[in-house]
Amino acid sequence: MSTAVAPQRIGYRWTVCALLFVVTTINYVDRQVLGILAPTLQRELGWSETAYGDVVSWFSLPYAFGFLAAGWLFDRIGVRRGFAAAVVAWSLAAIAHAFARTTALFSAARGLLGVAESANFPGAIKAVAEWFPKRERALATGIFNAGTNTGAILTPLLVPWIALKWGWRWAFIATGSLGFIWLLLWLAVYRSPGTNPHVTSDELAHIRSDPSDPENTRVPWIRLLSYRQTWAIAAGKFLADPIWWFYLYWLPKFLDSTYGIKLAQVALPLIVIYLVSDVGSIGGGWLSSALIKRGWTVNRARKAAMLAMALLIVPTALAPLARSMWTAVLIVSVAVAAHQAWSANVYTLASDMFPRAAVGSVVGIGAFAGGISGWAFQRATGRILEANGNNYTPIFIVCGLAYVSAWTIIHVLAPRLEPASTA
């Protein structure tokens, strides 16, 4: 006698992951519009390399401080309300760029966008910690983090077309409006796992299947700074985040100044770079999750995946020496893909080493470190390029070595990725 087995449903947690992917995509579309339009705006508004570096840096500084508040806020008011408020704020800030007439107003709009967009990753990481057991978190993080690449792919498709047809101001208005569409879907769909009618009892048991994973352990924010685990995550963000922002804000200018790629032609090389990086984002999360399922410890799996990615990034130092644009694009594509794989695992370290109630705050502290470093790096980049005649080689050397340095520091500070003793 045979017993029929009902087909396994795809858990509702993956619907939540899809929503996080979409909002991350919108987040990156809004922040990257300026980078795509950079050569156009520099010519129209007369910005020097230093002035452009300063304008984009004013995203990173408020972004850094916003992360501290965002992590704290999500840990207290929850994911649903936190994301709703953040998306409204950053959509309005993105649209405000269209009405800027001076460098100071552009800088102010970037600052407002940075404050509001800082909420995306603490909120998304906290949602993943609430909806996924540890063995699935790196994969879920990799999936939503792939939205950064999807946003970077869509932006060079949408923005040049809008700007060439209706002017650059409409590019900011059209892309900034996307967040309001997502907001309607989010409010209709999202509830926490314990109160969501779409979550079955079996799925809820799966979500909560990790042993000794305290659900409501509150850790004072300032106390988190006393843990080596917090500083390990901060180091991973401090050294890697500025490199990612360099790619977002400076790649169109690098292609323009080095290979003569203008607004109408910039879409194809950027799409190739970020399509490849999508593979890295999902693959990096999948890799460490797959190794854990094969019996590797969390420490060994995360560290092995991150070290592999750090080594893949080293050759990016050679990108400015490439004789053809497509050789440079290939080198940068591998580096950006490896960065995304690295990022998926660094974010997951927070939920590996801290209780769920502290994850948002820890991610906020790490991202604060990345934001401060990003602010300094963007300003330094503009000044270095202006001083040496647009020679990108020193910048790409830093990009190539940053991740190996970060991995070493993480391993020293958290040699076993042991959970922080927050009791």
Side-chain angles (χ1 to χ4, degrees):
M1 179 177 175
S2 61
T3 304
V5 178
Q8 186 177 10
R9 291 179 56 193
I10 296 176
Y12 195 76
R13 63 193 183 280
W14 297 107
T15 300
V16 173
C17 189
L19 282 171
L20 298 175
F21 165 81
V22 173
V23 78
T24 302
T25 299
I26 294 171
N27 183 284
Y28 266 74
V29 168
D30 287 344
R31 75 174 64 180
Q32 201 196 0
V33 174
L34 182 61
I36 299 297
L37 294 175
T40 300
L41 293 173
Q42 276 192 276
R43 285 187 281 267
E44 183 167 327
L45 301 177
W47 290 344
S48 65
E49 297 296 325
T50 297
Y52 175 72
D54 289 351
V55 168
V56 297
S57 77
W58 286 114
F59 175 92
S60 301
L61 188 63
Y63 187 73
F65 284 96
F67 258 119
L68 295 178
W72 178 88
L73 186 67
F74 273 98
D75 281 341
R76 279 150 185 80
I77 71 170
V79 173
R80 186 173 188 267
R81 288 187 293 171
F83 255 123
V87 170
V88 169
W90 91 50
S91 297
L92 292 174
I95 292 170
H97 286 69
F99 303 98
R101 296 292 189 273
T102 66
T103 302
L105 288 176
F106 262 100
S107 297
R110 295 310 287 175
L112 292 173
L113 185 67
V115 169
E117 288 206 340
S118 65
N120 187 82
F121 285 96
I125 296 297
K126 185 171 180 63
V128 166
E130 290 180 353
W131 279 88
F132 292 87
K134 285 185 178 181
R135 61 187 177 275
E136 292 180 342
R137 288 178 191 169
L139 176 58
T141 301
I143 290 172
F144 89 70
N145 194 49
T148 62
N149 310 310
T150 305
I153 291 166
L154 291 176
T155 311
L157 282 173
L158 291 173
V159 170
W161 180 73
I162 296 170
L164 292 171
K165 193 171 182 66
W166 290 294
W168 61 263
R169 298 185 191 280
W170 277 103
F172 287 108
I173 294 171
T175 56
S177 301
L178 295 174
F180 295 109
I181 300 172
W182 180 87
L183 177 63
L184 296 176
L185 184 62
W186 175 256
L187 293 176
V189 167
Y190 188 88
R191 299 292 186 279
S192 62
T195 61
N196 198 306
H198 298 286
V199 177
T200 65
S201 57
D202 287 345
E203 184 177 14
L204 189 60
H206 175 78
I207 291 168
R208 296 176 175 175
S209 61
D210 289 324
S212 303
D213 190 8
E215 191 82 29
N216 298 307
T217 304
R218 292 290 181 192
V219 184
W221 185 90
I222 196 69
R223 186 180 165 196
L224 293 172
L225 298 178
S226 67
Y227 296 105
R228 291 163 64 93
Q229 292 93 330
T230 302
W231 290 101
I233 293 166
K237 301 291 289 175
F238 183 87
L239 289 170
D241 280 13
I243 313 305
W244 173 249
W245 286 332
F246 167 75
Y247 295 141
L248 283 180
Y249 296 143
W250 296 88
L251 268 183
K253 285 173 50 54
F254 169 68
L255 295 174
D256 184 2
S257 65
T258 307
Y259 301 105
I261 304 300
K262 303 302 181 186
L263 182 63
Q265 298 118 7
V266 76
L268 184 57
L270 292 182
I271 288 169
V272 169
I273 288 169
Y274 292 111
L275 273 175
V276 174
S277 67
D278 257 334
V279 177
S281 181
I282 297 173
W286 170 84
L287 176 60
S288 62
S289 294
L291 292 174
I292 291 169
K293 288 180 180 179
R294 290 175 65 89
W296 288 37
T297 63
V298 170
N299 177 60
R300 186 183 177 200
R302 299 277 192 253
K303 296 275 184 66
M306 291 170 66
L307 179 58
M309 298 308 113
L311 294 174
L312 279 174
I313 291 170
V314 172
T316 195
L318 303 175
L321 306 178
R323 293 183 178 274
S324 73
M325 181 200 71
W326 285 112
T327 302
V329 165
L330 175 62
I331 294 170
V332 173
S333 295
V334 172
V336 174
H339 167 89
Q340 291 295 69
W342 166 278
S343 185
N345 283 282
V346 169
Y347 277 128
T348 309
L349 295 182
S351 55
D352 288 336
M353 297 190 289
F354 288 90
R356 291 179 182 180
V359 165
S361 294
V362 172
V363 172
I365 291 169
F368 171 79
I372 289 293
S373 179
W375 171 77
F377 192 70
Q378 304 314 315
R379 295 175 75 86
T381 296
R383 285 160 173 78
I384 290 169
L385 291 174
E386 193 159 316
N388 69 7
N390 275 353
N391 180 2
Y392 281 82
T393 300
I395 309 300
F396 275 96
I397 290 174
V398 173
C399 294
L401 299 178
Y403 297 79
V404 173
S405 303
W407 187 91
T408 303
I409 295 170
I410 290 171
H411 185 61
V412 169
L413 290 175
R416 293 181 298 275
L417 296 186
E418 62 274 14
S421 178
T422 58

